[in-house]
Amino acid sequence: MSNNNIIKGVFLVALGATSYGMLATFVKLAYKENFTTAEVTSSQFILGIIGILIINLFQRTKNKNTAVKATPKNIFHLMLAGTSLGMTSVFYYLAVKYIPVSIGIVLLMQTVWMGVLLEWFLDKKAPSAQKIISVIIVLIGTALAINIFKIDFNNPTIDWANGLFWGILAAASFTTTMFTANKVALGISSAQRSLYMLLGGAVIVFGFSLYTQTTPFNFEIFAKWGIVLALFGTIIPPLLLNAGFPHTGIGLGSIVSSLELPVSVMMAYFLLNEQVLLIQWIGIVLIIAAIIIMNIQFKKKN
């Protein structure tokens, strides 16, 4: 693989991760305008599905219907896998409703050790020393990043109990999403896979919205925040990441995608005026270091 292709892949993955990193701040800004979680998630998925559908139609016209089409079995499996995508959005957006974005993204990054546990459970093979070290570093980094020893559960402005609960659930569902996304219906285009996973996620999102929306639905969300959320949450990142990862490989791609963490924290710092202490930055650096250690290939001497 040429250096130009690797640089191109790094650039695409970095842009995709950066887009994801901006998302929670936009959600928090929508909350400040009194939009509900149901309105935020519904607008994102509806406009996201429309956007991905247009991309699919464009690709089908460009390829003159020569692309491999999804079978009913592919569609079922992708929609089933997509339910975890819908749960991730709901849980994560509920988390940042109760806690700062800079804490919410750290909780979402617990996918690092959750992925190791899931892999261990499914493959029945103990993780390597390299992965165990990475998990330990992530846990230490998380403790510092959320400033665990300074958490005030009596703080009236932050609901730590709900925030931590929904944040960990978001990480668990995101772990499932990442695992299934790399296993299901790999023979069809990424645009088709994204569409059917979004449709599966929409089932969860719409069910959640019907259950929780007690006031009339505010359709202004579509014009004010829906387009932004759909672009940065469901359209741009999957396309860029799917285009970039084949050039970078999983290891380098995972390292570059960890940009999502500092971008999310910096967005919260500059746009939401969230306080981020030095100890929290040290924790964030440790989490990124753990991701690098987990994905770097150490060459063995013969």
Side-chain angles (χ1 to χ4, degrees):
M1 187 181 293
S2 70
N3 286 334
N4 286 339
N5 282 338
I6 294 175
I7 293 171
K8 177 185 175 183
V10 167
F11 180 72
L12 291 172
V13 171
L15 280 180
T18 300
S19 296
Y20 268 139
M22 296 178 180
L23 196 58
T25 295
F26 296 143
V27 172
K28 201 80 167 182
L29 290 171
Y31 283 154
K32 287 188 175 183
E33 296 183 15
N34 296 319
F35 291 110
T36 65
T37 305
E39 291 162 351
V40 167
T41 51
S42 295
S43 62
Q44 178 183 329
F45 270 75
I46 290 172
L47 294 177
I49 288 169
I50 292 171
I52 293 293
L53 187 60
I54 292 171
I55 291 170
N56 272 281
L57 293 173
F58 175 77
Q59 287 187 347
R60 186 173 296 181
T61 303
K62 183 181 178 181
N63 297 328
K64 298 180 180 178
N65 294 322
T66 57
V68 178
K69 293 182 179 179
T71 64
K73 185 178 180 181
N74 289 152
I75 294 172
F76 173 74
H77 286 160
L78 285 168
M79 288 188 67
L80 189 62
T83 57
S84 63
L85 182 66
M87 284 188 278
T88 301
S89 295
V90 170
F91 296 156
Y92 186 42
Y93 294 174
L94 282 172
V96 298
K97 184 176 183 180
Y98 297 111
I99 56 178
V101 168
S102 54
I103 303 297
I105 186 63
V106 168
L107 294 177
L108 192 65
M109 284 293 163
Q110 302 313 296
T111 52
V112 176
W113 61 265
M114 288 183 180
V116 172
L117 286 181
L118 182 63
E119 191 177 49
W120 187 4
F121 175 76
L122 294 176
D123 295 342
K124 303 294 189 293
K125 183 180 178 182
S128 64
Q130 185 176 344
K131 289 185 177 180
I132 292 172
I133 291 170
S134 299
V135 167
I136 293 170
I137 294 173
V138 165
L139 293 175
I140 295 171
T142 299
L144 297 177
I146 66 174
N147 204 5
I148 194 167
F149 300 109
K150 295 291 184 179
I151 290 179
D152 181 7
F153 287 97
N154 295 318
N155 188 337
T157 61
I158 301 176
D159 188 342
W160 285 104
N162 274 314
L164 293 172
F165 174 76
W166 293 116
I168 293 297
L169 279 184
S173 57
F174 191 40
T175 303
T176 306
T177 301
M178 290 194 299
F179 184 81
T180 54
N182 292 316
K183 300 285 184 182
V184 179
L186 299 179
I188 63 175
S189 68
S190 59
Q192 287 186 80
R193 295 175 73 243
S194 296
L195 175 62
Y196 294 122
M197 287 189 73
L198 277 176
L199 289 172
V203 174
I204 299 297
V205 167
F206 296 157
F208 168 80
S209 299
L210 288 172
Y211 182 76
T212 60
Q213 187 73 12
T214 55
T215 58
F217 193 95
N218 188 350
F219 288 95
E220 288 184 12
I221 186 68
F222 285 93
K224 284 193 172 183
W225 292 107
I227 296 173
V228 173
L229 294 170
L231 281 173
F232 286 94
T234 52
I235 298 175
I236 294 176
L239 293 175
L240 293 178
L241 294 174
N242 283 322
F245 265 90
H247 297 298
T248 62
I250 296 297
L252 179 58
S254 298
I255 292 169
V256 176
S257 64
S258 66
L259 275 173
E260 177 186 353
L261 177 54
V263 167
S264 186
V265 174
M266 285 189 289
M267 286 283 290
Y269 178 78
F270 287 111
L271 296 185
L272 300 174
N273 295 316
E274 288 188 3
Q275 184 183 32
V276 185
L277 303 174
L278 176 60
I279 191 172
Q280 292 176 275
W281 279 114
I282 293 172
I284 289 165
V285 170
L286 283 176
I287 293 171
I288 295 173
I291 294 170
I292 294 172
I293 291 170
M294 183 175 289
N295 290 285
I296 200 169
Q297 296 295 322
F298 293 101
K299 293 182 179 180
K300 294 181 179 179
K301 292 182 179 180
N302 293 326

